[in-house]
């Protein structure tokens, strides 16, 4: 999937969807990739809040059917794209119903990090926000169990894996942005 420059130097290329476990750094990486590539950012969380007419994601993230809601809204967002974007897509990749449609239209970026790093990030977020983190445990007793349950679906749909090493999400985004430029999937990068 190689992009081209269209009329008036408007980039005509693929959109990118970040996926991975809660706390891995999808939002940070997506924001940095958006800035580096100049592609507009769409926050999956903000799209969900807007579609569900709530003030905070935590108001709906604990619903039993949240993953279905999330997947439907991300698929709808992808369907309505008017050009290449960076989409902070959340956990929608593990809901197979929408994935064939999304995978046809986006390059799927799977973020991964050691479980203990992700768990530490989740615990910091819970402490900072004073809530339960809004994570659907899907009947799993531990985060490790949840990550192991989801990992095969993330692996199945990914186009690229982006490892987050020592929590350096911005560094991972910068390295990956350069890779996209070399592959001609984005036209130029900001430094």
């Amino acid at each position: 999937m190689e992009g081209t420059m269209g009329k008036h130097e408007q980039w005509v290329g693929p959109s990118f969807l970040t996926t991975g476990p809660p706390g891995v750094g999808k939002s940070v990486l997506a924001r940095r990739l958006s800035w580096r590539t100049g592609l507009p950012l769409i926050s999956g969380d903000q799209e969900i809040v807007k579609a569900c007419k709530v003030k905070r994601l935590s108001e709906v993230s604990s619903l039993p059917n949240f993953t279905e809601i999330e997947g439907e809204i991300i698929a709808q967002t992808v369907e309505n794209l008017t050009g290449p974007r960076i989409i902070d897509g959340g956990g929608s990749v593990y809901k197979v119903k929408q994935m064939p449609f999304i995978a046809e239209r986006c390059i799927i970026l799977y973020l991964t990090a050691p479980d203990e790093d992700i768990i530490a990030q989740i615990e910091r977020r819970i402490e900072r926000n004073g809530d339960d983190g809004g994570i659907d445990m899907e009947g799993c007793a531990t985060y490790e169990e949840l990550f192991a349950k989801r990992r095969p679906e993330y692996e199945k749909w990914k186009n690229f894996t982006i490892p987050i090493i020592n929590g350096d999400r911005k560094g991972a985004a910068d390295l990956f942005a350069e890779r996209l430029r070399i592959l001609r999937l984005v036209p130029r990068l900001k430094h």
Side-chain angles (χ1 to χ4, degrees):
M1 197 185 284
E2 186 174 318
T4 60
M5 293 302 276
K7 210 192 244 185
H8 307 294
E9 293 295 304
Q10 184 175 348
W11 181 247
V12 180
S15 289
F16 302 90
L17 177 84
T18 61
T19 62
V24 74
K26 297 176 295 291
S27 297
V28 172
L29 187 125
R31 282 192 303 270
R32 182 70 175 193
L33 270 180
S34 173
W35 179 79
R36 288 294 312 273
T37 62
L39 294 175
L41 174 68
I42 296 175
S43 166
D45 289 352
Q46 289 177 1
E47 294 298 311
I48 293 165
V49 166
K50 187 168 54 175
C52 293
K53 297 179 172 88
V54 295
K55 291 182 181 181
R56 295 184 62 200
L57 185 65
S58 60
E59 293 178 56
V60 291
S61 60
S62 59
L63 294 174
N65 63 336
F66 175 71
T67 52
E68 287 82 12
I69 293 168
E70 179 183 41
E72 289 293 329
I73 292 169
I74 296 297
Q76 190 173 44
T77 300
V78 168
E79 184 175 23
N80 294 328
L81 291 177
T82 57
R85 303 284 190 270
I86 304 290
I87 306 164
D88 175 11
S92 60
V93 74
Y94 62 90
K95 289 302 171 191
V96 179
K97 179 179 169 189
Q98 295 89 11
M99 280 315 297
F101 174 83
I102 293 170
E104 280 180 13
R105 289 158 179 82
C106 294
I107 292 178
I108 310 294
L109 311 177
Y110 168 43
L111 281 65
T112 182
D115 287 355
E116 57 273 10
D117 292 355
I118 300 170
I119 292 167
Q121 178 63 26
I122 291 169
E123 289 171 348
R124 283 191 295 273
R125 183 190 315 160
I126 290 170
E127 186 176 309
R128 183 178 62 238
N129 296 341
D131 59 23
D132 66 359
I135 298 170
D136 178 2
M137 293 298 289
E138 300 177 29
C140 297
T142 66
Y143 290 122
E144 292 91 345
E145 192 180 320
L146 177 67
F147 302 157
K149 179 180 179 179
R150 291 182 179 180
R151 198 169 283 121
E153 288 299 320
Y154 291 131
E155 291 284 339
K156 176 181 175 180
W157 292 104
K158 71 176 181 180
N159 295 105
F160 292 98
T161 298
I162 302 176
I164 307 297
I165 300 166
N166 297 323
D168 187 7
R169 292 152 179 87
K170 289 182 180 178
D174 290 344
L175 287 172
F176 192 72
E178 185 61 31
R179 187 175 181 190
L180 293 176
R181 187 195 61 76
I182 290 167
L183 293 171
R184 296 179 180 213
L185 293 173
V186 295
R188 62 185 81 64
L189 299 177
K190 294 179 187 175
H191 293 282

